[in-house]
PDB file of all heavy atoms in Angstrom:
ATOM      1  N   CYS A  42      21.519  -5.583  39.410  1.00  0.00           N
ATOM      2  CA  CYS A  42      22.274  -5.837  38.177  1.00  0.00           C
ATOM      3  C   CYS A  42      21.756  -4.899  37.086  1.00  0.00           C
ATOM      4  O   CYS A  42      20.541  -4.792  36.881  1.00  0.00           O
ATOM      5  CB  CYS A  42      22.119  -7.291  37.744  1.00  0.00           C
ATOM      6  SG  CYS A  42      22.869  -7.633  36.134  1.00  0.00           S
ATOM      7  N   TRP A  43      22.648  -4.218  36.402  1.00  0.00           N
ATOM      8  CA  TRP A  43      22.308  -3.260  35.360  1.00  0.00           C
ATOM      9  C   TRP A  43      21.490  -3.893  34.244  1.00  0.00           C
ATOM     10  O   TRP A  43      20.707  -3.227  33.561  1.00  0.00           O
ATOM     11  CB  TRP A  43      23.607  -2.678  34.787  1.00  0.00           C
ATOM     12  CG  TRP A  43      23.460  -1.372  34.086  1.00  0.00           C
ATOM     13  CD1 TRP A  43      23.596  -1.148  32.738  1.00  0.00           C
ATOM     14  CD2 TRP A  43      23.184  -0.094  34.682  1.00  0.00           C
ATOM     15  NE1 TRP A  43      23.412   0.180  32.470  1.00  0.00           N
ATOM     16  CE2 TRP A  43      23.161   0.850  33.641  1.00  0.00           C
ATOM     17  CE3 TRP A  43      22.957   0.330  35.992  1.00  0.00           C
ATOM     18  CZ2 TRP A  43      22.921   2.203  33.874  1.00  0.00           C
ATOM     19  CZ3 TRP A  43      22.714   1.675  36.222  1.00  0.00           C
ATOM     20  CH2 TRP A  43      22.693   2.585  35.166  1.00  0.00           C
ATOM     21  N   TYR A  44      21.658  -5.212  34.066  1.00  0.00           N
ATOM     22  CA  TYR A  44      21.041  -5.890  32.920  1.00  0.00           C
ATOM     23  C   TYR A  44      19.788  -6.675  33.309  1.00  0.00           C
ATOM     24  O   TYR A  44      18.724  -6.443  32.758  1.00  0.00           O
ATOM     25  CB  TYR A  44      22.079  -6.779  32.227  1.00  0.00           C
ATOM     26  CG  TYR A  44      23.263  -5.961  31.776  1.00  0.00           C
ATOM     27  CD1 TYR A  44      24.463  -5.964  32.495  1.00  0.00           C
ATOM     28  CD2 TYR A  44      23.159  -5.116  30.677  1.00  0.00           C
ATOM     29  CE1 TYR A  44      25.533  -5.169  32.108  1.00  0.00           C
ATOM     30  CE2 TYR A  44      24.216  -4.309  30.288  1.00  0.00           C
ATOM     31  CZ  TYR A  44      25.400  -4.342  31.011  1.00  0.00           C
ATOM     32  OH  TYR A  44      26.444  -3.543  30.637  1.00  0.00           O
ATOM     33  N   CYS A  45      19.907  -7.607  34.265  1.00  0.00           N
ATOM     34  CA  CYS A  45      18.739  -8.435  34.602  1.00  0.00           C
ATOM     35  C   CYS A  45      17.943  -7.866  35.769  1.00  0.00           C
ATOM     36  O   CYS A  45      16.792  -8.237  35.967  1.00  0.00           O
ATOM     37  CB  CYS A  45      19.145  -9.879  34.874  1.00  0.00           C
ATOM     38  SG  CYS A  45      20.041 -10.133  36.417  1.00  0.00           S
ATOM     39  N   GLY A  46      18.554  -6.987  36.557  1.00  0.00           N
ATOM     40  CA  GLY A  46      17.832  -6.354  37.652  1.00  0.00           C
ATOM     41  C   GLY A  46      17.806  -7.151  38.950  1.00  0.00           C
ATOM     42  O   GLY A  46      17.144  -6.736  39.900  1.00  0.00           O
ATOM     43  N   CYS A  47      18.513  -8.262  39.005  1.00  0.00           N
ATOM     44  CA  CYS A  47      18.539  -9.034  40.260  1.00  0.00           C
ATOM     45  C   CYS A  47      19.271  -8.231  41.335  1.00  0.00           C
ATOM     46  O   CYS A  47      20.049  -7.331  41.026  1.00  0.00           O
ATOM     47  CB  CYS A  47      19.203 -10.402  40.054  1.00  0.00           C
ATOM     48  SG  CYS A  47      20.995 -10.357  39.891  1.00  0.00           S
ATOM     49  N   ALA A 104      26.985  -5.270  37.768  1.00  0.00           N
ATOM     50  CA  ALA A 104      26.351  -6.411  37.100  1.00  0.00           C
ATOM     51  C   ALA A 104      26.550  -7.668  37.928  1.00  0.00           C
ATOM     52  O   ALA A 104      27.550  -7.812  38.628  1.00  0.00           O
ATOM     53  CB  ALA A 104      26.943  -6.614  35.706  1.00  0.00           C
ATOM     54  N   CYS A 105      25.566  -8.578  37.821  1.00  0.00           N
ATOM     55  CA  CYS A 105      25.742  -9.875  38.479  1.00  0.00           C
ATOM     56  C   CYS A 105      26.783 -10.644  37.667  1.00  0.00           C
ATOM     57  O   CYS A 105      26.962 -10.384  36.472  1.00  0.00           O
ATOM     58  CB  CYS A 105      24.406 -10.623  38.580  1.00  0.00           C
ATOM     59  SG  CYS A 105      23.742 -11.257  37.040  1.00  0.00           S
ATOM     60  N   SER A 107      26.795 -13.600  36.352  1.00  0.00           N
ATOM     61  CA  SER A 107      26.346 -14.334  35.159  1.00  0.00           C
ATOM     62  C   SER A 107      26.085 -13.400  33.984  1.00  0.00           C
ATOM     63  O   SER A 107      26.436 -13.716  32.854  1.00  0.00           O
ATOM     64  CB  SER A 107      25.136 -15.214  35.470  1.00  0.00           C
ATOM     65  OG  SER A 107      24.039 -14.449  35.871  1.00  0.00           O
ATOM     66  N   CYS A 108      25.492 -12.227  34.216  1.00  0.00           N
ATOM     67  CA  CYS A 108      25.291 -11.279  33.113  1.00  0.00           C
ATOM     68  C   CYS A 108      26.636 -10.752  32.609  1.00  0.00           C
ATOM     69  O   CYS A 108      26.863 -10.647  31.408  1.00  0.00           O
ATOM     70  CB  CYS A 108      24.407 -10.114  33.542  1.00  0.00           C
ATOM     71  SG  CYS A 108      22.650 -10.540  33.636  1.00  0.00           S
ATOM     72  N   ASN A 109      27.511 -10.432  33.527  1.00  0.00           N
ATOM     73  CA  ASN A 109      28.811  -9.888  33.128  1.00  0.00           C
ATOM     74  C   ASN A 109      29.588 -10.892  32.284  1.00  0.00           C
ATOM     75  O   ASN A 109      30.149 -10.535  31.237  1.00  0.00           O
ATOM     76  CB  ASN A 109      29.608  -9.487  34.374  1.00  0.00           C
ATOM     77  CG  ASN A 109      30.981  -8.940  34.036  1.00  0.00           C
ATOM     78  OD1 ASN A 109      31.995  -9.591  34.288  1.00  0.00           O
ATOM     79  ND2 ASN A 109      31.033  -7.779  33.436  1.00  0.00           N
TER      80      ASN A 109
HETATM   81 ZN1   ZN B1316      22.314  -9.872  35.848  1.00  0.00          ZN
END
Side-chain angles (χ1 to χ4, degrees):
C42 174
W43 201 249
Y44 302 102
C45 71
C47 75
C105 71
S107 63
C108 284
N109 179 251

